[in-house]
Structures are given as structure tokens and as C-alpha cells.
């Protein structure tokens, strides 16, 4: 019968990650994972205003509905992809998007993705823009 290995103690875990510095950043990293799984800072192709808008939206829906981390990650991924497409295609930030932009993006991306994926993206975008209207963005 195999023997079970015990997990390292808490003190050996904190020392392995770099001592006090790792211990002070751990809560922030955990909170970021819990709220959508992305470290601070926008991806290179994403306008800073779009990244800030996505962060604010995810914080709001996390506080309002307590969504699961995987749901928040999916929301972040879908919004980031749309914002990156909008920035590359039209040079605009997420809050500057209009209905024609949404329709064009969905038409282009639907050709490359299945109906299930498109149907999953629509509620995220709908919910984001509903929130943006409510917040006067």
C-alpha cells in the first residue's frame, strides 16, 4: 500500500516563494484570480481605457452577483477579444463601440466559431453594455 506524503508546512511554503515579498503579494494575486484571473496591466494590443472598463465591469458583476472565477475569466476573455478587435479594426476603445461595431464583429467572428460560442459571447456583451449605460460610461 503506498504511503501518503504530507504537504509542506505553511512556513516552508512561504519561504519557497521568496520570503516576505511573496507573502505580501499573495493576497493581491489571489484576489486578481478570484475576480477574473488577470494580473494588473492591459495586454499590449488593448487600449488602457478598455482594460480599465473591463476591470471595473468585472469588479461590479463580481460584487453584485458573486460570479464564479471561471465565469469571470470567460467574461474577461470575451470582452478583451472584442476590445482588441475594435481597437485593431476601428482604433476605438470599448466604451466607444456602437451597434454596427458589434454586428460586424459578431459576423466576422461567427464565421470562425460555432453557434454555441457566438451564443455564449452575446450575453456577455449585452451585460457589459447594459452596465456601461447604467454607469454613464
Amino acid at each position: 500500500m503506498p504511503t501518503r506524503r504530507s504537504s509542506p508546512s505553511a512556513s516552508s511554503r512561504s519561504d519557497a516563494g521568496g520570503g516576505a515579498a511573496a507573502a505580501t503579494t499573495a493576497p493581491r494575486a489571489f484576489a486578481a484570480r478570484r475576480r477574473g484571473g488577470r494580473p494588473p496591466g492591459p495586454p499590449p494590443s488593448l487600449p488602457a481605457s478598455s482594460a480599465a472598463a473591463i476591470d471595473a465591469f468585472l469588479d461590479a458583476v463580481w460584487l453584485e452577483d458573486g460570479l464564479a472565477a471561471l465565469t469571470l475569466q470567460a467574461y474577461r476573455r470575451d470582452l478583451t477579444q472584442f476590445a482588441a478587435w475594435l481597437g485593431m479594426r476601428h482604433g476605438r476603445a470599448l466604451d466607444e463601440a456602437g451597434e454596427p461595431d458589434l454586428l460586424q464583429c459578431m459576423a466576422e467572428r461567427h464565421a470562425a466559431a460555432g453557434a454555441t460560442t457566438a451564443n455564449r459571447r452575446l450575453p456577455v456583451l449585452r451585460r457589459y453594455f447594459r452596465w456601461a449605460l447604467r454607469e454613464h460610461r
Side-chain angles (χ1 to χ4, degrees), residues 48-69:
S49 62
S50 294
I54 292 169
D55 287 341
F57 169 71
L58 291 177
D59 284 343
V61 296
W62 179 69
L63 287 171
E64 291 170 4
D65 298 337
L67 298 178

Side-chain angles (χ1 to χ4, degrees), residues 38-52 55 76 80:
R38 183 177 73 73
S45 63
L46 191 65
S49 62
S50 294
D55 287 341
R76 178 178 300 282
T80 300

Side-chain angles (χ1 to χ4, degrees), residues 45-51 79-105:
S45 63
L46 191 65
S49 62
S50 294
L79 288 169
T80 300
Q81 288 173 353
F82 175 67
W85 177 89
L86 186 64
M88 284 184 356
R89 197 61 99 151
H90 300 288
R92 289 193 292 239
L94 185 59
D95 287 336
E96 299 167 351
E99 184 179 0
D101 300 320
L102 287 167
L103 294 174
Q104 183 182 6
C105 179

Side-chain angles (χ1 to χ4, degrees), residues 105-122:
C105 179
M106 293 306 290
E108 287 180 18
R109 295 185 68 198
H110 184 67
T116 304
T117 302
N119 290 335
R120 180 183 53 79
R121 288 178 184 147
L122 283 172

